[in-house]
């Protein structure tokens, strides 16, 4: 875009000058006269041209730098952990690779968390471990109740993201939260059309469930690719949060197709570390070192 602006300005400056001939002492004959009736007269000498071209070049460079910085600001894939288990969250955080946490009512129930006070305390404990966003899902299914519940969740901590299911009332609630500057994660997404709606409503994150699609013989990764294409076509800023990732290759493939975030339990994240050749190689290095040291 900045190249276009730069090009147009340059062309305009050049044509204005060329037509009036103050520098080149060249006056285009009838062809130019016939075409140009409206270009305002600008008398430029070589210093003016050099100065204004330099200014334009400088402005164009600044625009390019700013634009690239913005484009690259989200260029790494974030790792979220998909659990309400505090020990697992701590372990992933200590690995130094954790960018956030996602929970859902099933994951909370798995940890035996129930009752409003316990739920609130648990979300606060999670926010105390990670520096990243923490998705907390509403239980309500009507617009009015979702708004009340979501606003209460958002007040718990600045990093809470209100997780809302992809249903009619949920879509309205996402639109409302986004107008209030409350971050949202649109969950239970299984099609590109649903993801398009979530983006139009202003969701911060969209959660396509890749593992559950694989479970019903539909390629979850194709959905991530489709959503990437759609969002890139129109510059939607909603982040693709690939959810229901169950194994390390889900994570690697998400990175290949350009998911913004992947959320997975601790096991697939730690499994990324593992390679038998790494273990064998290390054992050999240590054995050789010990042998050389005469141990
Ligand atoms: O983030 C959604 C996730 O918790 C669902 O995972 O394995 O139950 O399909 P799964």
């Amino acid at each position: 875009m900045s190249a276009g602006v730069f090009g147009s300005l340059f062309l305009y400056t050049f044509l204005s000058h060329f037509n009036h001939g103050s520098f080149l002492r060249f006056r285009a004959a009838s062809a130019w006269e016939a075409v140009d009736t409206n270009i305002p007269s600008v008398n430029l000498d070589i210093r003016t041209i050099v100065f204004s071209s330099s200014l334009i070049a400088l402005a164009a460079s600044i625009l390019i730098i700013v634009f690239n910085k913005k484009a690259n600001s989200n260029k790494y894939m974030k790792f979220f952990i998909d659990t309400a288990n505090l020990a697992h969250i701590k372990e992933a955080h200590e690995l130094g690779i954790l960018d956030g946490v996602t929970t859902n009512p099933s994951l909370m129930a798995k940890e035996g968390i129930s009752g409003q006070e316990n739920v609130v305390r648990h979300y606060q404990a999670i926010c105390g471990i990670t520096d990243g966003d923490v998705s907390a899902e509403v239980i309500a299914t009507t617009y009015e109740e979702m708004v009340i519940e979501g606003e209460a969740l958002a007040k718990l901590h600045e990093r809470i993201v209100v997780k809302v299911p992809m249903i009619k009332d949920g879509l309205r609630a996402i639109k409302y939260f986004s107008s209030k500057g409350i971050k949202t994660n649109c969950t239970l997404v299984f099609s590109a059309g649903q993801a398009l709606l979530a983006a139009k409503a202003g969701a911060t994150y969209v959660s396509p469930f890749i593992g559950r699609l694989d479970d019903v013989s539909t390629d979850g990764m194709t959905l991530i690719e489709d959503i990437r294409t759609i969002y890139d076509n129109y510059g939607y800023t909603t982040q693709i949060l690939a959810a229901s990732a169950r194994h390390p290759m889900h994570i690697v493939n998400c990175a290949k197709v350009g998911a913004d975030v992947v959320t997975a339990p601790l096991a697939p994240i730690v499994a990324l570390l593992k390679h038998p050749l790494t273990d064998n190689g290390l054992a050999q290095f240590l054995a050789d070192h010990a042998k050389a040291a005469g141990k």
Side-chain angles (χ1 to χ4, degrees):
M1 190 189 73
S2 46
V5 172
F6 174 59
S8 313
L9 284 171
F10 181 78
L11 197 64
Y12 176 80
T13 309
F14 178 75
L15 284 178
S16 302
H17 171 74
F18 185 69
N19 187 50
H20 296 284
S22 60
F23 169 53
L24 293 175
R25 306 254 174 251
F26 179 85
R27 196 158 184 88
S30 49
W32 279 113
E33 304 278 31
V35 172
D36 170 32
T37 50
N38 290 324
I39 298 175
S41 171
V42 182
N43 277 326
L44 298 172
D45 62 16
I46 182 72
R47 283 163 303 177
T48 316
I49 291 175
V50 170
F51 182 68
S52 51
S53 301
S54 310
L55 271 185
I56 292 167
L58 182 67
S61 312
I62 292 170
L63 277 177
I64 288 167
I65 290 167
V66 169
F67 183 74
N68 278 346
K69 212 170 174 188
K70 196 161 181 245
N72 289 330
S73 64
N74 196 28
K75 272 299 173 198
Y76 68 94
M77 186 179 73
K78 289 188 250 180
F79 274 66
F80 286 3
I81 189 166
D82 194 31
T83 185
N85 182 293
L86 297 180
H88 287 189
I89 296 169
K90 235 177 242 160
E91 188 174 334
H93 174 72
E94 280 162 12
L95 276 176
I97 48 85
L98 190 64
D99 299 302
V101 177
T102 51
T103 64
N104 63 37
S106 305
L107 294 171
M108 293 290 274
K110 197 171 158 191
E111 301 306 315
I113 313 296
S114 67
Q116 206 185 339
E117 264 179 38
N118 290 335
V119 168
V120 164
R121 227 178 290 130
H122 203 74
Y123 283 137
Q124 281 167 340
I126 294 175
C127 290
I129 301 172
T130 177
D131 308 323
D133 283 347
V134 175
S135 286
E137 188 161 339
V138 295
I139 307 296
T141 53
T142 66
Y143 170 73
E144 291 75 13
E145 287 169 340
M146 280 185 199
V147 165
I148 294 169
E149 193 183 346
E151 284 185 329
L153 286 170
K155 276 193 193 122
L156 290 181
H157 200 284
E158 58 181 1
R159 289 198 297 277
I160 290 279
V161 173
V162 181
K163 204 172 177 187
V164 179
M166 168 43 81
I167 55 175
K168 248 189 208 171
D169 284 46
L171 198 64
R172 285 182 61 204
I174 288 170
K175 182 84 191 172
Y176 169 83
F177 290 132
S178 111
S179 75
K180 297 281 170 200
I182 294 173
K183 289 195 268 185
T184 52
N185 176 355
C186 181
T187 189
L188 290 167
V189 165
F190 293 94
S191 75
Q194 291 178 321
L196 182 56
L197 288 177
K200 280 194 77 71
T204 314
Y205 298 101
V206 65
S207 287
F209 278 34
I210 53 177
R212 290 192 192 183
L213 279 172
D214 290 354
D215 288 345
V216 294
S217 309
T218 304
D219 184 21
M221 213 50 66
T222 304
L223 176 58
I224 303 295
E225 286 179 87
D226 289 347
I227 300 173
R228 181 75 284 153
T229 303
I230 292 169
Y231 284 9
D232 289 351
N233 279 350
Y234 299 103
Y236 284 121
T237 53
T238 298
Q239 294 177 51
I240 303 171
L241 194 171
S244 180
R246 310 249 182 84
H247 53 74
M249 285 316 288
H250 266 151
I251 300 176
V252 171
N253 288 331
C254 279
K256 280 165 85 171
V257 301
D260 298 294
V261 191
V262 68
T263 190
L266 183 63
I269 296 174
V270 172
L272 287 172
L273 271 169
K274 284 283 166 198
H275 199 290
L277 291 179
T278 304
D279 297 339
N280 293 348
L282 182 60
Q284 185 71 53
F285 287 158
L286 295 179
D288 290 345
H289 174 76
K291 207 162 138 193
K295 287 181 192 161

